[in-house]
């Protein structure tokens, strides 16, 4: 018997409007619209109107901060109105849009049906539409790829534009998320990440007991910054770069009105005259990135990227263009970094030529010393910079340098979270175009400091300036010759018949650099001995500025790197819808550029030429889809791709390099090394002679039907020499 009850069964259905969390995304201004001339004009007009409105409603003369805030706000407001934001990338193909809507409706309908026959028929119809959408999306993908390839082809003279297109092809996945662990080894949350990274880099960029910077009072400039100087600085800014604290990008100023340029010039001149500046000049945003190959978790595995405000960049560019010549005169000619017309090729060529001489002559023995510095740019003492510049620059220029390096503030930024700013007191500001020039001067002064070369201390004389010895002949004084080679913080020496000098350099340089807080990484310091008996020695694997001194070893390494690059782009190369000429453009930009790095200094035999050409054709056949047993002649491979053999490209690059080296300042190590290898007259060992770089050059000149003496004269004229080299292609 059931007991009666007044309780009734209740069924409750609840709904919620909760949405899946997708994170926070920052809206990005659509700067691509500025390429449209009409929209660009509207944007400039809008900026000018808003700037005038802001100045009109202000009472009194605005200060530096207010004036800059007006410029920033006017640009942002005008950008929102005339440019809008970048929308999520969706297909604009009307067919795809229509089919997508239809398949969604079919999916909804299928879920409501209970009849299996009807469901199956509708599912087949939906699958057909999805297949059509898939094919259409693939066509769009191929079209975007074609656009990127066309961009590569059109930007051969614009490396920034070219490699942006290359990155667009290569970037298939988003970068991995940042992983930072707490001291306990637990993965940190966003707030903890900010705190941990801030604490780590604050300890890196600050130090105790650092002397204050010398007093350099503000003053009216001897020659004020002009509107034209600011305009030129703005034009030199790179596009598509992340913005600093002010969120203002170069494209906005480039397409803005002239009144903005005039006001920026006024701000810069006022900074010099009064010493007051907008806070953005001192503030840098630090964005940490994971170092490749480093363990995830510890903050020491992070690479700091500093984003500076655009106002600071403009000031630094304008100032650098005024003072660069004054500073370059104080930097030794052996320093090749950050100097117009100089490159790593010069330094590698010099070392290679002298090492080559040592293994092909009984009169020579070479000693190579490579030194690596630890975090050199981050350990600079700033007061030394001003002391070094005091006798070089005018007082007004020195004051602006002090403004840019004193009390630089950094705030860590991870995604959209920003940490508490901290003030730095050591290191050259990262991201500042002045920093490389200031560092090379700092290093030059460090190597010169407290040096009074004498007869007893002759080994250090070459640290100050290039030696006056002519190393084309054995040194009869038995003192040998010491050549200093510098590229940024990479300092190296090669000694000819002077092992004692190399030993002294190795022993004394660390203490000398330590006087300016520069530290040698002893674990990466390398020393090699090269002579006629060490043809197969460790020196062959000596890696200097990205190149191995021995050609055969360097070629093997380059082949591996080229194959890695090919495998990364294999899906692109195997796409049969892409024409061979477009594949060839990608091959040239992404594979040939890797393999042929510094190839102009290689010592090539005929077998080497055949080997690398065969390797090139193997990759090209893969690219063209030619597989055994199908055959394709070598001539047809080059015809279809429009490419030339790597050996031919090396020949033209070697001739081009010869002309460049011949036109260099005769005091540069590379020019002296070229003169050495041309005029060498040394005792050769018995037996078969090794191939040398000079012999390779002589073969190239014979192909061009020109003698060496004629080449030395003609190559002084760049245009005439270019015509001769062009005929060799």
């Amino acid at each position: 018997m059931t007991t009666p009850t007044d309780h009734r069964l209740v069924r409750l259905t609840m709904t919620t409007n909760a949405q899946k969390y997708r994170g926070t995304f920052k809206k990005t201004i659509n700067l691509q619209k500025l390429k449209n001339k009409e929209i660009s004009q509207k944007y400039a007009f809008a900026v000018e109107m808003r700037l005038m409105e802001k100045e009109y409603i202000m009472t009194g003369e605005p200060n530096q901060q207010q004036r800059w805030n007006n410029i920033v706000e006017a640009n942002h407001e005008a950008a929102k109105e005339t440019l809008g934001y970048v929308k999520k990338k969706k297909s604009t193909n009307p067919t795809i849009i229509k089919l997508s809507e239809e398949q969604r409706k079919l999916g909804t309908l299928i879920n409501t049906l209970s009849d299996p026959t009807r469901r199956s028929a509708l599912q087949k119809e939906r699958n057909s539409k999805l297949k059509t959408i898939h094919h259409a999306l693939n066509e769009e993908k191929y079209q975007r790829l074609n656009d990127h390839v066309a961009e590569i082809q059109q930007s051969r003279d614009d490396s920034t534009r070219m490699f942006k297109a290359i990155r667009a092809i290569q970037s298939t996945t988003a970068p991995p998320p940042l992983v930072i662990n707490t001291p306990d080894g637990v993965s940190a949350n966003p707030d903890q990440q900010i705190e941990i990274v801030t604490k780590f880099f604050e300890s890196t960029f600050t130090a105790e007991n650092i002397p204050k910077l010398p007093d350099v009072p503000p003053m009216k400039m001897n020659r004020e910054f002009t509107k034209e100087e600011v305009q030129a600085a703005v034009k030199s800014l790179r596009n598509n770069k992340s913005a600093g604290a002010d969120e203002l990008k170069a494209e906005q100023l480039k397409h803005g009105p002239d009144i903005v340029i005039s006001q920026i010039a006024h701000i810069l001149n006022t900074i010099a005259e009064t010493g007051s500046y907008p806070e953005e000049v001192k503030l840098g945003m630090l964005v940490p990135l994971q170092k490749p190959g480093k363990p995830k978790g510890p903050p020491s595995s992070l690479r700091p990227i500093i984003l500076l405000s655009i106002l600071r960049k403009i000031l630094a560019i304008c100032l650098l263009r005024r003072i660069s010549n004054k500073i370059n005169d104080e930097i030794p000619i052996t320093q090749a970094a950050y100097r117009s017309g100089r490159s790593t090729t010069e330094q590698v060529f010099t070392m290679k030529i002298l090492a080559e001489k040592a293994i092909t002559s009984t009169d020579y023995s070479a000693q190579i010393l490579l030194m690596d510095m630890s975090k050199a740019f981050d350990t600079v003492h700033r007061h030394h910079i001003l002391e070094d510049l005091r006798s070089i620059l005018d007082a007004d220029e020195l004051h602006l340098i002090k403004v840019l390096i004193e009390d630089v503030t950094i705030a860590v930024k991870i995604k959209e979270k920003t940490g508490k700013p901290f003030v730095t007191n050591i290191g050259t500001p990262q991201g500042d175009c002045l920093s490389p020039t200031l560092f090379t001067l700092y290093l030059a002064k460090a190597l010169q400091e407290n040096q009074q070369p004498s007869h007893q201390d002759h080994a250090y004389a070459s640290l100050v300036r290039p030696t006056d010895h002519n190393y084309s002949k054995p040194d009869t004084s038995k003192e040998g010759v010491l050549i200093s080679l510098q590229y940024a913080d990479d300092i190296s020496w090669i000694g000819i018949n002077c092992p004692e000098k190399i030993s002294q350099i190795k022993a004394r340089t660390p203490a000398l650099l330590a006087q300016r807080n520069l530290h040698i990484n002893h674990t990466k310091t390398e020393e090699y001995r090269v002579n006629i008996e060490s043809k197969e020695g460790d020196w062959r694997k000596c890696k200097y500025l990205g190149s191995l001194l021995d050609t055969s070893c360097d070629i093997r390494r380059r082949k591996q790197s080229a194959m890695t690059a090919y495998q990364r782009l294999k899906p692109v190369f195997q796409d049969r819808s892409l024409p061979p000429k477009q594949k060839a453009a990608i091959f040239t930009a992404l594979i040939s550029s890797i393999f042929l790095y510094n190839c102009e200094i290689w010592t090539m035999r005929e077998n080497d030429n055949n080997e690398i050409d065969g390797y090139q054709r193997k990759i090209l056949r893969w690219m063209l889809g030619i597989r055994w047993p199908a055959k394709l002649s070598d001539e047809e491979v080059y015809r279809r791709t429009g490419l030339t053999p790597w050996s031919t490209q090396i020949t033209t690059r070697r001739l081009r390099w010869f002309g460049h080296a011949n036109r260099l300042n005769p005091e540069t190590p590379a020019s002296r090394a070229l003169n050495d290898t041309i005029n060498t007259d040394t005792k050769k060992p018995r037996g078969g002679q090794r191939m040398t770089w000079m012999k390779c050059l002589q073969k190239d000149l014979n192909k061009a039907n020109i003698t060496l003496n004629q080449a030395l004269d003609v190559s002084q004229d760049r245009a005439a020499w270019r015509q001769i080299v062009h005929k060799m292609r």
Side-chain angles (χ1 to χ4, degrees):
M1 182 176 178
T2 306
T3 305
T5 177
D6 59 352
H7 293 271
R8 296 182 179 180
L9 182 63
V10 178
R11 185 175 69 178
L12 178 65
T13 302
M14 300 182 65
T15 60
T16 177
N17 58 357
Q19 297 180 353
K20 183 180 179 181
Y21 176 73
R22 299 180 180 273
T24 58
F25 298 91
K26 181 182 176 181
K27 292 184 177 180
T28 305
I29 295 294
N30 190 357
L31 298 176
Q32 293 298 319
K33 288 187 176 181
L34 289 172
K35 294 181 179 180
N36 184 297
K37 186 176 180 180
E38 184 178 350
I39 295 177
S40 177
Q41 291 174 347
K42 289 182 179 179
Y43 171 75
F45 180 76
V47 172
E48 186 172 359
M49 290 298 99
R50 277 154 181 76
L51 190 58
M52 293 174 63
E53 290 173 3
K54 294 179 181 299
E55 292 181 346
Y56 179 77
I57 63 176
M58 293 185 67
T59 58
E61 182 69 17
N63 58 34
Q64 295 289 78
Q65 188 67 59
Q66 292 171 331
R67 192 181 297 275
W68 178 244
N69 288 344
N70 288 342
I71 293 175
V72 173
E73 292 171 3
N75 275 275
H76 289 331
E77 292 171 4
K80 292 177 184 178
E81 178 186 346
T82 60
L83 306 179
Y85 296 103
V86 176
K87 297 181 180 179
K88 185 178 180 181
K89 292 183 178 180
K90 295 182 179 179
S91 176
T92 57
N93 189 327
T95 303
I96 295 178
I97 296 174
K98 181 181 178 181
L99 290 174
S100 298
E101 184 64 27
E102 291 176 356
Q103 70 87 14
R104 280 195 293 269
K105 290 180 179 179
L106 284 173
T108 304
L109 179 60
I110 290 170
N111 292 333
T112 62
L113 295 176
S114 58
D115 184 3
T117 304
R118 179 62 174 163
R119 285 173 59 93
S120 178
L122 290 178
Q123 188 61 53
K124 289 182 180 179
E125 183 181 352
R126 188 189 183 205
N127 290 341
S128 176
K129 293 182 183 296
L130 288 172
K131 188 176 181 179
T132 305
I133 293 172
H134 178 72
H135 287 308
L137 289 173
N138 279 338
E139 291 180 1
E140 286 192 349
K141 172 187 171 183
Y142 295 143
Q143 184 58 49
R144 287 195 299 269
L145 184 60
N146 291 340
D147 293 341
H148 292 317
V149 173
E151 183 75 2
I152 293 173
Q153 294 173 322
Q154 297 170 8
S155 59
R156 295 183 181 274
D157 298 329
D158 188 346
S159 59
T160 302
R161 181 181 168 192
M162 174 183 286
F163 284 102
K164 180 187 176 183
I166 291 172
R167 286 194 298 269
I169 294 176
Q170 291 180 308
S171 58
T172 56
T173 59
L178 196 66
V179 179
I180 302 172
N181 294 338
T182 64
D184 300 332
V186 181
S187 181
N189 60 45
D191 292 331
Q192 290 174 325
Q193 288 182 345
I194 291 285
E195 184 180 352
I196 293 171
V197 175
T198 299
K199 185 177 179 180
F200 175 78
F201 285 110
E202 185 176 6
S203 64
T204 302
F205 296 119
T206 58
E208 297 180 355
N209 302 321
I210 299 296
K212 293 184 178 180
L213 298 187
D215 183 38
V216 186
M219 64 191 68
K220 187 176 180 63
M221 298 191 70
N222 297 328
R223 182 164 57 92
E224 293 187 341
F225 292 118
T226 64
K227 176 184 174 182
E228 290 72 24
E229 284 182 279
V230 175
Q231 186 70 64
V234 170
K235 287 183 178 180
S236 69
L237 292 169
R238 295 183 178 181
N239 293 336
N240 305 305
K241 292 295 182 181
S242 299
D246 50 27
E247 296 293 338
L248 194 59
K249 294 193 173 185
E251 294 92 328
Q252 293 176 261
L253 293 185
K254 291 180 179 180
H255 293 270
D258 290 341
I259 188 174
V260 172
I261 303 299
S262 300
Q263 293 206 9
I264 292 177
H266 177 78
I267 292 174
L268 300 187
N269 292 320
T270 306
I271 292 175
E273 186 173 352
T274 66
S276 64
Y277 45 81
E279 63 181 7
E280 288 86 352
V281 171
K282 297 283 192 179
L283 180 60
M285 309 303 294
L286 190 153
V287 180
L289 299 178
Q290 180 70 38
K291 292 181 180 178
K294 297 292 184 179
K296 296 182 179 180
S300 57
S301 298
L302 302 176
R303 174 177 288 114
I305 304 298
I306 308 293
L307 306 179
L308 301 177
S309 80
I310 199 165
L311 180 62
R312 180 190 177 96
K313 292 180 180 179
I314 295 171
L315 174 57
I317 293 172
C318 291
L319 184 58
L320 178 62
R321 292 181 173 181
R322 288 192 175 189
I323 68 175
S324 58
N325 290 336
K326 298 179 182 179
I327 296 179
N328 282 332
D329 291 342
E330 301 295 323
I331 299 174
I333 202 168
T334 53
Q335 175 66 260
Y338 317 119
R339 312 182 86 165
S340 178
R342 309 289 297 277
S343 66
T344 60
T345 308
E346 292 183 29
Q347 310 300 70
V348 181
F349 174 78
T350 303
M351 189 167 290
K352 181 179 179 64
I353 288 297
L354 298 181
E356 185 179 87
K357 179 181 292 294
I359 63 173
T360 58
S361 173
T362 59
D363 299 324
Y364 288 87
S365 178
Q367 299 80 33
I368 298 174
L369 177 63
L370 309 178
M371 284 191 170
D372 180 76
M373 284 186 278
S374 302
K375 300 180 179 180
F377 285 74
D378 299 337
T379 59
V380 167
H381 281 182
R382 297 171 183 174
H383 67 281
H384 285 306
I385 294 177
L386 290 185
E387 292 170 354
D388 296 338
L389 294 172
R390 190 179 289 277
S391 61
I392 303 173
L393 305 181
D394 297 334
D396 55 339
E397 298 167 339
L398 192 65
H399 166 67
L400 289 176
I401 293 289
K402 182 181 179 182
V403 170
L404 291 174
I405 68 174
E406 185 180 34
D407 296 335
V408 177
T409 304
I410 291 176
V412 175
K413 185 177 182 180
I414 300 178
K415 295 184 178 178
E416 299 306 315
K417 290 183 175 289
T418 304
K420 182 179 180 182
F422 60 89
V423 179
T424 67
N425 60 1
I426 60 172
T428 55
Q430 291 193 26
D432 195 319
C433 65
L434 274 170
S435 293
T437 301
L438 296 179
F439 175 80
T440 52
L441 177 66
Y442 186 90
L443 176 62
K445 296 296 183 181
L447 294 174
Q448 296 177 14
E449 203 164 70
N450 299 325
Q451 292 183 46
Q452 300 295 330
S454 62
H455 180 72
Q456 292 78 15
D457 193 22
H458 184 72
Y460 256 50
S462 60
L463 288 176
V464 183
R465 57 184 59 85
T467 177
D468 294 329
H469 288 85
N470 181 1
Y471 50 84
S472 63
K473 296 181 179 180
D475 189 52
T476 57
S477 67
K478 298 183 180 181
E479 290 185 350
V481 179
L482 184 66
I483 298 94
S484 172
L485 299 173
Q486 302 173 31
Y487 197 87
D489 59 342
D490 194 313
I491 54 176
S492 311
W493 293 265
I494 181 167
I496 304 298
N497 300 336
C498 57
E500 297 81 9
K501 291 183 181 181
I502 292 293
S503 298
Q504 293 179 33
I505 293 290
K506 184 179 180 180
R508 298 179 58 179
T509 299
L512 188 66
L513 294 176
Q515 296 178 13
R516 289 200 165 203
N517 204 39
L518 298 174
H519 306 287
I520 296 294
N521 187 345
H522 294 280
T523 60
K524 294 186 178 181
T525 296
E526 302 177 41
E527 189 173 2
Y528 301 92
R529 185 177 180 89
V530 188
N531 53 38
I532 193 71
E533 299 177 354
S534 61
K535 296 181 180 180
E536 305 298 326
D538 292 340
W539 72 270
R540 300 179 68 218
K541 298 181 180 180
C542 171
K543 188 177 181 180
Y544 179 55
L545 298 178
S547 296
L548 299 180
L549 293 187
D550 183 74
T551 296
S552 58
C553 293
D554 203 25
I555 288 177
R556 284 197 296 269
R557 189 170 67 91
R558 291 288 165 191
K559 287 168 68 175
Q560 294 174 356
S561 299
M563 182 56 67
T564 301
Y566 173 81
Q567 293 295 337
R568 189 166 59 247
L569 291 165
K570 193 174 181 179
V572 176
F573 288 129
Q574 291 184 342
D575 189 345
R576 295 182 179 273
S577 65
L578 281 180
K581 294 294 179 64
Q582 292 182 326
K583 292 182 180 180
I586 300 175
F587 176 88
T588 301
L590 299 179
I591 297 179
S592 291
S593 60
I594 294 174
F595 182 83
L596 298 177
Y597 173 72
N598 277 347
C599 67
E600 49 267 81
I601 64 174
W602 284 350
T603 301
M604 305 288 293
R605 303 176 181 86
E606 193 63 32
N607 290 339
D608 296 325
N609 290 328
N610 295 334
E611 179 186 346
I612 65 173
D613 287 345
Y615 189 77
Q616 178 196 22
R617 290 192 296 268
K618 180 173 71 172
I619 298 178
L620 293 179
R621 284 189 172 92
W622 291 347
M623 189 178 74
L624 295 172
I626 308 299
R627 297 290 189 273
W628 189 88
K631 294 183 180 180
L632 191 68
S633 67
D634 298 344
E635 293 78 10
E636 183 65 14
V637 169
Y638 290 123
R639 189 193 67 80
R640 289 190 185 184
T641 59
L643 300 177
T644 56
W646 273 343
S647 60
T648 302
Q649 297 180 46
I650 292 174
T651 296
T652 58
R653 292 178 65 160
R654 187 185 295 113
L655 290 172
R656 194 161 55 239
W657 163 250
F658 165 77
H660 172 76
N662 192 40
R663 291 189 298 270
L664 284 173
N665 186 324
E667 293 299 318
T668 58
S671 179
R672 296 175 62 223
L674 177 64
N675 181 71
D676 167 53
T677 193
I678 291 175
N679 299 305
T680 185
D681 183 18
T682 59
K683 185 178 180 181
K684 304 294 182 181
R686 292 182 178 180
Q689 300 299 309
R690 290 177 63 95
M691 178 61 70
T692 63
W693 185 88
M694 189 60 209
K695 290 180 180 178
C696 293
L697 177 66
Q698 192 65 63
K699 288 184 178 181
D700 299 338
L701 295 176
N702 291 338
K703 292 179 181 178
N705 295 319
I706 186 173
T707 66
L708 178 60
N709 290 332
Q710 290 174 334
L712 290 171
D713 293 334
V714 176
S715 61
Q716 293 295 332
D717 185 342
R718 180 175 294 159
W721 186 245
R722 187 183 294 116
Q723 292 180 359
I724 293 176
V725 174
H726 184 74
K727 294 178 181 178
M728 299 296 296
R729 296 179 178 178

